[in-house]
């Protein structure tokens, strides 16, 4: 039997009967619903729900989207993503390729991990790749990345949105960063993106927390300088500057330890700028301690750029109480109409 959470009529944002594409809550809610549509597409496949029995279509059709393509993993053949096209009633638009009133023309959405036997093994393998900073080396990411490249080449970056949750947020983030380095800045909604580090944000004492972050920045910057000495070619590379013009929307919950470090990440960067140590943090934030250690002592192995490197972002923090981790990490929270949100724009150049 299907879970109530899979049924749009029972758990979807039914209150959004008239979408205002300039309203941040509406945009976020639609993006989250399209990501949920990918989850339910895969669950429909697993449960062999077809035709009138399928539960996924209402998650996009309610907002006048059409499913254009499913993105299929080449290892276990699960559905990990989807491409949607916005097809509102003819009275609301014309056939122009240009987006109207801030709406997307296409949305490429990626789901996160599903803890069901048919897909969990492969999903968990991708989760491990994130922990090892190796998501860019996986075939699933390359399939998704190629879909993004093709869509941008066909309709232009301004007509494409990216959206993802958890593992899918990591996919969307990496795809968005890749496109940004090529000068294509895509609108992106990243829900509960993983940020792997010590849970410093959970420390209650602000002075202790800030002191730990400063020490970490100094150590990381020092190792980065040592790594540069061993690899002179890296001195001219500055991914921080290349990405600074891209401002994705990050949606995080402080009760979700998988993504809550983004809160401290951006606040710490701001504080380091305020005390005149912005150059140290600028260098530190481009690297991970583990990767740098391998660069310095690991026979010249060059560290991969950390997934969490984001100079700029629209950070939305859900301050509403969560009953447990599952609720704090879930996608459903992001379309609730009664959220207590703190929104901050971090723009660094």
């Amino acid at each position: 039997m299907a879970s109530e959470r899979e049924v749009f009529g029972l758990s979807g944002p039914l209150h959004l009967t008239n979408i205002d594409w300039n309203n941040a809550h509406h945009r976020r809610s639609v993006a989250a619903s399209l990501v949920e549509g990918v989850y339910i597409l895969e669950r429909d496949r697993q449960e062999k729900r077809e035709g009138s029995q399928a539960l996924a279509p209402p998650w996009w059709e309610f907002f006048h989207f059409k499913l254009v393509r499913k993105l299929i993993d080449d290892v276990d053949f699960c559905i990990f993503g989807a491409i949607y096209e916005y097809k509102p009633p003819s009275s609301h638009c014309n056939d122009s390729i240009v987006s109207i009133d801030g709406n997307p023309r296409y949305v490429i959405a990626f789901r996160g991990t599903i803890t069901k036997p048919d897909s969990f093994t492969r999903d968990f393998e991708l989760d491990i790749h994130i922990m090892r900073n190796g998501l860019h080396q996986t075939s699933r990411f390359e399939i998704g990345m190629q879909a993004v490249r093709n869509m941008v080449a066909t309709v232009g970056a301004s007509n494409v949105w990216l959206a993802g949750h958890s593992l899918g947020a990591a996919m969307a983030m990496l795809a968005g960063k890749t496109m940004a380095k090529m000068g294509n800045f895509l609108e992106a909604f990243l829900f509960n993106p993983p940020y792997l580090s010590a849970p410093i944000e959970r420390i209650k004492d602000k002075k202790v927390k800030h002191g730990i972050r400063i020490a970490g920045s100094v150590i990381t910057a020092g190792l980065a300088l040592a790594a540069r000495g061993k690899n002179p070619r890296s001195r001219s590379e500055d991914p921080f500057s290349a990405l600074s013009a891209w401002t994705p929307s990050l949606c995080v919950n402080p009760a979700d330890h998988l993504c809550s470090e983004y809160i401290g990440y951006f606040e710490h960067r701001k504080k380091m700028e305020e005390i005149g140590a912005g150059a140290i943090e600028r260098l530190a934030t481009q690297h991970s301690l583990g990767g740098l250690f391998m660069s310095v002592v690991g026979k010249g192995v060059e560290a991969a750029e950390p997934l969490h490197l984001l100079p700029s972002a629209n950070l939305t923090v859900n301050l509403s109480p969560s009953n447990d981790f599952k609720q704090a990490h879930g996608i459903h929270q992001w379309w609730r109409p009664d959220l207590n949100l703190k929104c901050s724009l971090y723009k660094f150049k």
Side-chain angles (χ1 to χ4, degrees):
M1 180 179 294
S3 164
E4 179 179 306
R5 295 171 64 83
E6 296 179 335
V7 181
F8 182 84
L10 297 176
S11 62
L14 296 172
H15 59 285
L16 294 179
T17 56
N18 188 19
I19 300 299
D20 176 1
W21 289 105
N22 293 312
N23 182 299
H25 171 64
H26 289 196
R27 291 157 68 90
R28 182 185 65 252
S29 298
V30 172
S33 296
L34 295 178
V35 173
E36 177 68 359
V38 183
Y39 276 106
I40 310 306
L41 271 171
E42 172 57 15
R43 291 294 294 133
D44 281 347
R45 184 192 72 86
Q46 294 177 3
E47 298 297 322
K48 298 180 173 58
R49 298 186 299 232
E50 301 177 349
S52 62
Q53 301 299 312
L55 298 179
W59 288 96
W60 58 81
E61 291 177 349
F62 186 82
F63 306 106
H64 305 295
F65 281 86
K66 173 187 176 183
L67 178 63
V68 176
R69 178 187 166 194
K70 302 172 186 175
L71 300 179
I72 311 297
D73 191 282
D74 63 341
V75 175
D76 66 354
F77 305 105
C78 71
I79 301 169
F80 71 87
I83 302 176
Y84 303 102
E85 182 181 7
Y86 184 53
K87 301 287 284 187
S90 57
S91 60
H92 293 112
C93 72
N94 54 39
D95 293 329
S96 170
I97 195 172
V98 180
S99 295
I100 303 168
D101 296 330
N103 66 271
R105 187 169 182 230
Y106 291 91
V107 177
I108 303 175
F110 304 99
R111 66 165 175 81
T113 301
I114 294 179
T115 56
K116 301 292 182 181
D118 287 352
S119 56
F120 178 70
T121 299
R122 176 60 170 163
D123 287 352
F124 184 68
E125 179 184 329
L126 271 291
D127 292 333
I128 296 299
H129 277 289
I130 292 176
M131 295 173 64
R132 295 176 174 174
N133 206 27
L135 183 62
H136 61 289
Q137 299 172 330
T138 66
S139 59
R140 179 183 291 189
F141 172 72
E142 185 50 44
I143 292 169
M145 188 67 241
Q146 193 58 50
V148 174
R149 289 193 194 99
N150 292 344
M151 190 57 64
V152 170
T154 302
V155 302
S158 63
N159 293 304
V160 180
W161 284 12
L162 298 175
H165 174 248
S166 193
L167 166 61
M171 294 267 294
M173 182 184 295
L174 189 52
K177 288 171 62 175
T178 302
M179 297 306 295
K181 291 175 182 178
M182 297 162 47
N184 296 306
F185 304 109
L186 279 62
E187 186 90 13
F189 293 85
L190 311 174
F191 302 101
N192 304 81
Y195 186 118
L196 298 173
S197 76
I200 302 173
E201 191 59 27
R202 303 187 113 184
I203 298 174
K204 301 301 182 182
D205 190 310
K206 291 185 178 181
K207 290 184 178 179
V208 172
K209 182 162 53 177
H210 189 44
I212 292 174
R213 291 193 188 282
I214 291 177
S217 294
V218 171
I219 294 171
T220 303
L223 284 173
L225 288 173
R228 282 187 177 186
K230 298 192 69 174
N231 183 15
R233 290 180 303 171
S234 67
R235 296 177 185 178
S236 61
E237 299 172 1
D238 186 1
F240 199 87
S241 295
L243 292 172
S244 61
W246 185 51
T247 311
S249 296
L250 267 65
C251 299
V252 304
N253 189 314
D256 176 7
H257 62 270
L258 292 181
C259 68
S260 62
E261 280 302 305
Y262 272 108
I263 301 171
Y265 169 76
F266 283 106
E267 289 181 349
H268 175 61
R269 289 245 312 274
K270 183 178 179 180
K271 289 178 180 177
M272 290 290 277
E273 292 283 352
E274 291 173 349
I275 66 175
I280 293 175
E281 183 59 20
R282 181 187 175 95
L283 181 58
T285 198
Q286 298 182 42
H287 303 277
S288 66
L289 277 173
L292 283 169
F293 182 77
M294 292 301 296
S295 294
V296 174
V297 304
K299 299 181 180 180
V301 178
E302 187 174 354
E305 176 189 306
L307 180 63
H308 65 259
L309 168 60
L310 282 176
S312 306
N314 277 305
L315 183 66
T316 298
V317 181
N318 181 10
L319 299 176
S320 304
S322 299
N323 295 326
D324 50 32
F325 168 75
K326 184 176 181 180
Q327 185 180 50
H329 187 67
I331 188 71
H332 285 65
Q333 66 184 298
W334 297 112
W335 58 71
R336 282 175 46 193
D338 58 345
L339 292 177
N340 177 17
L341 301 177
K342 178 183 177 182
C343 302
S344 305
L345 173 63
Y346 294 93
K347 197 79 175 174
F348 293 92
K349 297 181 180 180

